[in-house]
Amino acid sequence: MAMTLDPISQLDRFAASVLDSVRAPRPMPVDLFRDGDRYMMVADLPGIDPGSIDVDVDGGQLTIRAQRTADSREGVRWLARERGGGHFLRQFTLGEGVDLDGITASYDSGVLSVIIPVSERAKPRKITVDSTTDHPQPINA
């Protein structure tokens, strides 16, 4: 099978390899939903070293950072290289109805799960109605 030289394709690959090292943080795909008294966020982070994952809350801002290191094998001829390394970043603004101190996170099989509990103040509650035999008098204007 004869291979032809495609200078445009070669230039695209070269530019991608050079620019990949200075690329801005990549977004990560997430699902976010409410399940009873908690919010669940599930993020895809395949191939990430769990030690590189950083989840923090500052005020009402939840930030998730992670890093994947690119394969840097020496002496090989890459035929395809689409699984590059880089930084991943997502930020979310949390409302006042969540328990910031109760947020937990776990990582399993390339999936980061973040549990954000609803605060006690934001949970629905039943208001009792008192009944008295003395009825309040209407206020006359």
Side-chain angles (χ1 to χ4, degrees):
M1 179 170 139
M3 301 209 37
T4 60
L5 177 63
D6 180 5
I8 301 299
S9 183
Q10 294 291 338
L11 183 60
D12 282 346
R13 277 191 219 121
F14 174 73
S17 69
V18 170
L19 296 176
D20 192 43
S21 62
V22 293
R23 184 179 265 172
R26 301 174 186 190
M28 64 193 77
V30 300
D31 290 338
L32 179 62
F33 56 93
R34 184 166 177 171
D35 180 20
D37 289 340
R38 64 187 183 170
Y39 293 98
M40 295 286 302
M41 181 180 1
V42 183
D44 287 344
L45 291 170
I48 299 292
D49 173 16
S52 79
I53 299 172
D54 181 37
V55 180
D56 64 65
V57 177
D58 185 7
Q61 183 99 3
L62 174 72
T63 303
I64 301 171
R65 290 180 185 87
Q67 182 175 350
R68 180 172 51 216
T69 305
D71 192 340
S72 60
R73 297 173 201 225
E74 297 288 327
V76 298
R77 182 172 174 236
W78 293 98
L79 302 175
R81 192 168 191 190
E82 299 175 351
R83 298 179 54 245
H87 297 276
F88 294 82
L89 174 70
R90 282 300 288 264
Q91 293 183 307
F92 300 90
T93 301
L94 302 175
E96 293 188 23
V98 298
D99 177 8
L100 298 177
D101 295 328
I103 296 174
T104 59
S106 61
Y107 181 74
D108 184 38
S109 301
V111 178
L112 175 69
S113 298
V114 180
I115 299 172
I116 307 165
V118 174
S119 70
E120 289 298 321
R121 287 187 359 241
K123 291 180 183 176
R125 63 186 185 281
K126 192 75 167 165
I127 306 297
T128 58
V129 178
D130 290 333
S131 174
T132 61
T133 55
D134 296 328
H135 296 292
Q137 297 296 320
I139 299 174
N140 291 329

